[in-house]
Amino acid sequence: MRRGVRFVPLALLLTGIVEVAVFVLLGRWIGFGWAILLVLAVSLLGMALLRREGMRAWRGLRAAVEGGRPPGSEVSDGLVGLLAGLLLAIPGLVTGVVGLLLTVPVLRRLARGQVQRMAERRVSAQVAGDLFGPRRVRVRRGQPRPDTGPEPTEATPPPPAAPGAAIEGEIIEPRRP
């Protein structure tokens, strides 16, 4: 079982408790009739957003595939949009606010980056390259190991890495026009 999966029931329970508490507090503040109307309006907005984002994600995926581009950014943006619509469609004010925040372009871009990073960690490098396009890798030379010999100078090329030896580096996302 994955680490985070065991916390899902607890998270759902806490979300339900928070939703009920916020609804009761809002109902006392503006009245329960208005609170119910607000929850219904937010849910209707979420259903409309789900439909719109689903169609938008499908069109983006088709355009990327037809254009020969990696579809990863369109897929991750569509997932964030669908998550925003789903959170708005679920009856509740807290989930509605989180869903509404995911429609803000800056926060949506941040969430899309997180979705891409999660996907890249869970799939092989080849699949990630197919989904999100080629990546550049920046390699930093670390401290030499005692058994590798002296540090190479600029005149001598570095020795090839031993099979199975790790090279420290980071993946740099290419700039998009």
Side-chain angles (χ1 to χ4, degrees):
M1 183 185 272
R2 290 198 173 262
R3 283 183 297 178
V5 175
R6 63 180 164 188
F7 295 114
V8 169
L10 180 63
L12 289 174
L13 178 67
L14 288 176
T15 302
I17 291 170
V18 169
E19 289 287 0
V20 169
V22 168
F23 180 77
V24 168
L25 290 174
L26 187 69
R28 287 184 178 173
W29 186 47
I30 65 171
F32 284 103
W34 288 110
I36 289 173
L37 284 176
L38 183 63
V39 168
L40 288 175
V42 168
S43 293
L44 288 174
L45 174 71
M47 286 184 224
L49 186 66
L50 265 175
R51 178 184 162 100
R52 189 190 89 190
E53 288 297 323
M55 294 304 294
R56 183 171 165 249
W58 179 249
R59 281 193 300 267
L61 177 65
R62 278 190 20 209
V65 170
E66 289 172 359
R69 297 185 324 267
S73 61
E74 284 82 7
V75 169
S76 57
D77 189 50
L79 284 174
V80 171
L82 289 172
L83 178 64
L86 182 65
L87 288 172
L88 281 167
I90 294 172
L93 298 170
V94 176
T95 55
V97 168
V98 173
L100 198 58
L101 287 175
L102 284 176
T103 62
V104 175
V106 173
L107 297 176
R108 186 173 181 147
R109 201 170 23 253
L110 289 172
R112 183 179 65 212
Q114 289 294 334
V115 167
Q116 283 183 355
R117 280 188 284 286
M118 263 189 345
E120 287 172 346
R121 279 195 307 259
R122 286 178 166 57
V123 298
S124 69
Q126 182 178 2
V127 172
D130 290 343
L131 275 177
F132 301 111
R135 300 284 190 251
R136 283 187 358 204
V137 177
R138 181 185 306 159
V139 178
R140 285 183 245 115
R141 195 174 306 278
Q143 297 295 325
R145 294 189 340 204
D147 60 330
T148 61
E151 180 74 24
T153 63
E154 284 189 33
T156 63
I167 299 174
E168 183 180 344
E170 65 180 294
I171 295 177
I172 303 168
E173 176 126 5
R175 296 190 188 269
R176 300 187 194 263

